[in-house]
Amino acid sequence: MTKQHLDHMPRTAPDTRSDVRVHPRLARAALAVTAAAGLCVTGTVVAQAASATTPTCSASALTASFGKGLAGGMNHQGVVLRLKNTSAHTCLLRGYPGLGLENAAHRTLHSTTHWGDTWYAKSPAKATLTLRKGQSAEAVISWTHANTGTPDAVHAAYLQVTPPAATSHKTLAFPQWVDHGDLRVTALAHRIPVND
């Protein structure tokens, strides 16, 4: 057959019909997977909606207090910080508390807060904590005091504690010498194991 005859031969479109048949069991399995995926998405949306209606804990909804005092070698010192929900409503906390030092006249002193592990405790991962009325979260604070009475040490009288995402703070008595004003604090959790 010549090229000319080939050029004039009718061209047919490829057959797009499928003769593949799906086994009934496979079809049911695919339907079950699709349904499960839909339930998972629905559950996520419901959880997000629930957290969207629960407010973040404000400073006014919380009381701050010190728990166990921690001591150790190499001039290290620390304390467990507790934030308790004293409001009538459930609220959420996530992350690290802000810290600051004040003198006896409540004037802010130079300080730096480092978030993460402390001498006494490994920091837990950041997690959203649900605090119902009367429930608490805690963090572990540590500092050193090798240079007590020297210009490198900050002599504090009070500690400012700002809950995560809050715009105001709580104030606790804190008569401590803190080297260079450096404080370390873990993320908040319901309970943090400490090495003392």
Side-chain angles (χ1 to χ4, degrees), residues 89-105:
H89 306 288
T90 299
C91 61
L92 305 176
L93 281 177
R94 179 183 175 84
Y96 299 84
L99 303 176
L101 299 174
E102 295 180 357
N103 65 15

Side-chain angles (χ1 to χ4, degrees), residues 45-72:
V45 170
V46 169
Q48 288 174 345
S51 67
T53 59
T54 305
T56 298
C57 300
S58 64
S60 62
L62 301 167
T63 57
S65 63
F66 290 134
K68 183 177 184 179
L70 306 167

Side-chain angles (χ1 to χ4, degrees), residues 86-132:
T86 53
S87 73
H89 306 288
T90 299
C91 61
L92 305 176
L93 281 177
R94 179 183 175 84
Y96 299 84
L99 303 176
L101 299 174
E102 295 180 357
N103 65 15
H106 291 285
R107 290 190 178 153
T108 301
L109 299 170
H110 165 74
S111 65
T112 304
T113 301
H114 306 274
W115 291 349
D117 296 344
T118 70
W119 176 261
Y120 301 98
K122 183 172 178 55
S123 183
K126 283 172 60 174
T128 301
L129 308 175
T130 301
L131 296 187
R132 294 180 177 81

Side-chain angles (χ1 to χ4, degrees), residues 9 11 28 36 55 62 66 71 89 93 105 139 153 164 171 187-188 191 195:
M9 286 184 70
R11 294 184 182 170
R28 285 194 297 270
L62 301 167
F66 290 134
H89 306 288
L93 281 177
T171 304
L188 288 160
R191 178 69 67 196
N195 303 312

Side-chain angles (χ1 to χ4, degrees), residues 7-194:
D7 289 342
H8 291 293
M9 286 184 70
R11 294 184 182 170
T12 58
D15 188 0
T16 57
R17 292 174 301 167
S18 174
D19 288 333
V20 177
R21 297 193 182 179
V22 178
H23 193 280
R25 270 193 199 160
L26 291 176
R28 285 194 297 270
L31 185 59
V33 168
T34 304
L39 287 174
C40 181
V41 169
T42 303
T44 302
V45 170
V46 169
Q48 288 174 345
S51 67
T53 59
T54 305
T56 298
C57 300
S58 64
S60 62
L62 301 167
T63 57
S65 63
F66 290 134
K68 183 177 184 179
L70 306 167
M74 301 175 65
N75 298 301
H76 286 273
Q77 197 164 347
V79 69
V80 175
L81 170 70
R82 289 207 175 90
L83 297 177
K84 181 178 181 180
N85 180 7
T86 53
S87 73
H89 306 288
T90 299
C91 61
L92 305 176
L93 281 177
R94 179 183 175 84
Y96 299 84
L99 303 176
L101 299 174
E102 295 180 357
N103 65 15
H106 291 285
R107 290 190 178 153
T108 301
L109 299 170
H110 165 74
S111 65
T112 304
T113 301
H114 306 274
W115 291 349
D117 296 344
T118 70
W119 176 261
Y120 301 98
K122 183 172 178 55
S123 183
K126 283 172 60 174
T128 301
L129 308 175
T130 301
L131 296 187
R132 294 180 177 81
K133 180 181 178 181
Q135 289 186 318
S136 299
E138 64 184 32
V140 176
I141 303 170
S142 72
W143 64 95
T144 62
H145 52 84
N147 298 322
T148 300
T150 71
D152 291 334
V154 174
H155 189 201
Y158 298 97
L159 181 72
Q160 298 173 354
V161 178
T162 306
T167 56
S168 58
H169 63 265
K170 313 302 275 187
T171 304
L172 295 172
F174 189 73
Q176 301 292 335
W177 287 93
V178 180
D179 290 342
H180 308 286
D182 285 340
L183 298 164
R184 298 190 176 276
V185 65
T186 66
L188 288 160
H190 286 294
R191 178 69 67 196
I192 301 177
V194 296

